[in-house]
Amino acid sequence: MTGRSHNLLLLASRLLLAAALLPTGVARALNVSGFALTLAGAGVPMPNGVATAAVVVQVFGPLAVVLGVLPAISGVALAAFAAAMAVLLHPFWQFSGANFLTERALFLADLGLAGGFLLYALAGPGGWSWQGWRRREPGESRAAARAAPAKAAGRGTRAPSSGRKPARAAA
């Protein structure tokens, strides 16, 4: 896969992951007290504080993902958030019949979302992101930016070795 298509796929993935949380986060931000009541009904301690923290994570986390800012931190935080919300808001084990199936599907969807955020944390945001932009030096061309990691790793700068240590010269 070329660098351009790789970066395009990572950008599309980041946009899709953010689209899964951001609309709900904005809706919850407009009605934090209603979300706090939902959490209180689920038995969450300090529902107002948890609701406020959840709204901050659910609004600013996806924005960080879209921009590619701090991918390891934002990816792990959003994965933990999605898993926690799955357990708190979709306890399918407490239901039966059609409600059981619905809640289980929502629970598994949230866990899948958590997996996507973990993959983002591991893979990084790609070159078309804040992090990719920050890696380039001012005035550096795109070709030079791509060649820099190869030079830093020592590739292409010396002949391949046979794996043996060089023999010492006789004195």
Side-chain angles (χ1 to χ4, degrees):
M1 183 178 297
T2 66
R4 175 176 268 170
S5 59
H6 180 76
N7 286 330
L8 179 64
L9 243 112
L10 287 173
L11 174 63
S13 300
R14 292 192 337 256
L15 292 172
L16 290 171
L17 281 171
L21 286 184
L22 190 57
T24 308
V26 170
R28 287 179 178 167
L30 296 174
N31 187 13
V32 177
S33 60
F35 182 47
L37 288 174
T38 302
L39 292 175
V44 175
M46 299 185 313
N48 288 330
V50 172
T52 302
V55 165
V56 168
V57 168
Q58 201 168 3
V59 170
F60 292 107
L63 293 176
V65 169
V66 167
L67 296 174
V69 177
L70 301 170
I73 294 169
S74 60
V76 170
L78 287 169
F81 171 79
M85 288 296 113
V87 171
L88 290 174
L89 299 179
H90 304 294
F92 66 91
W93 52 90
Q94 296 176 355
F95 295 92
S96 62
N99 288 339
F100 171 84
L101 295 175
T102 302
E103 290 297 321
R104 185 183 66 183
L106 293 169
F107 179 84
L108 293 174
D110 282 353
L111 290 185
L113 188 58
F117 283 120
L118 289 176
L119 285 172
Y120 164 71
L122 290 173
W128 295 353
S129 66
W130 174 259
Q131 186 181 31
W133 178 77
R134 297 256 314 156
R135 284 187 183 151
R136 291 187 199 131
E137 295 295 322
E140 183 179 22
S141 70
R142 289 183 192 175
R146 283 191 294 256
K151 285 184 180 178
R155 286 183 248 138
T157 58
R158 54 188 144 130
S161 69
S162 63
R164 296 185 299 177
K165 293 183 180 180
R168 295 184 104 182

